Amino acid sequence: GAAAEEDDDDDVDLAVLGETAAVGEPATTPSGGSKVRDRDSINKAFQSRKLMAREVAHAVELFNKKPKKGIAHLVEKDLVKRTPDAVAAFLWAHNENLSKTQIGEYIGGEDEWTISIMHAFVDQMNFASMDLDMSLRAFLSGFRLPGEAQKIDRILEKFASK
């Protein structure tokens, strides 16, 4: 019946494998690679991507609570290089999931590192073909201005320089 047909299908697969490989040797692909090795490398790549996605999700969670911890986690796990451009690119790439308030607080920081990230964050925007009001709207769409006047001043000063 149906079970016998399924067993026959397995026999066919084994027969095909048997034609391309000696007993005990892995089957090969037309390019000469091992199907088993190819499958293993695909599985490893998939597992690696799953782990990376989990680490990024964890970093986003951390960032939304304490931005410095989220960025530190990304750098520690080699998911983002420790450069202002790489961190700014992460902030744009994951903007949908990150707290816009926390982004504003983070890039408004007063230490050299966060100021350099803020500069990279703003520099990654292109206002070339926009009027001033549209530029400001686009600029403010990526984060919320922090509450502290000095932070707002630093951010808007950089915007004005563009």
Side-chain angles (χ1 to χ4, degrees):
E5 286 176 25
E6 285 178 26
D7 288 342
D8 289 343
D9 287 344
D10 289 343
D11 291 341
V12 171
D13 290 341
L14 293 174
V16 170
L17 290 175
E19 289 176 11
T20 59
V23 176
E25 292 180 13
T28 57
T29 62
S31 62
S34 165
K35 285 183 182 178
V36 173
R37 264 184 281 143
D38 288 347
R39 192 177 324 121
D40 286 347
S41 65
I42 289 169
N43 285 340
K44 284 179 185 171
F46 178 73
Q47 292 302 324
S48 174
R49 276 188 152 324
K50 272 179 55 176
L51 178 62
M52 188 168 59
R54 263 190 242 125
E55 292 295 344
V56 168
H58 182 61
V60 165
E61 213 175 287
L62 286 172
F63 184 92
N64 288 338
K65 292 175 186 166
K66 297 206 175 214
K68 287 184 179 184
K69 284 188 177 184
I71 298 302
H73 181 78
L74 289 166
V75 170
E76 178 186 310
K77 298 291 183 179
D78 289 328
L79 298 169
V80 170
K81 290 181 184 170
R82 188 168 166 44
T83 67
D85 284 334
V87 173
F90 172 83
L91 295 177
W92 281 116
H94 297 277
N95 200 271
E96 296 280 321
N97 299 321
L98 294 171
S99 162
K100 293 192 184 329
T101 301
Q102 292 291 40
I103 293 172
E105 287 293 329
Y106 185 68
I107 66 172
E110 59 190 33
D111 61 279
E112 259 184 71
W113 170 244
T114 54
I115 290 172
S116 63
I117 291 169
M118 183 261 295
H119 283 245
F121 185 80
V122 175
D123 288 342
Q124 290 179 14
M125 299 185 83
N126 182 4
F127 305 114
S129 63
M130 295 182 200
D131 293 331
L132 177 62
D133 64 331
M134 291 307 289
S135 297
L136 191 54
R137 285 174 206 233
F139 178 63
L140 295 173
S141 71
F143 66 97
R144 286 210 178 83
L145 282 173
E148 191 180 319
Q150 286 180 324
K151 290 181 177 186
I152 294 171
D153 185 52
R154 271 191 292 278
I155 293 169
L156 290 180
E157 194 174 304
K158 176 59 182 171
F159 170 75
S161 75
K162 286 261 313 171

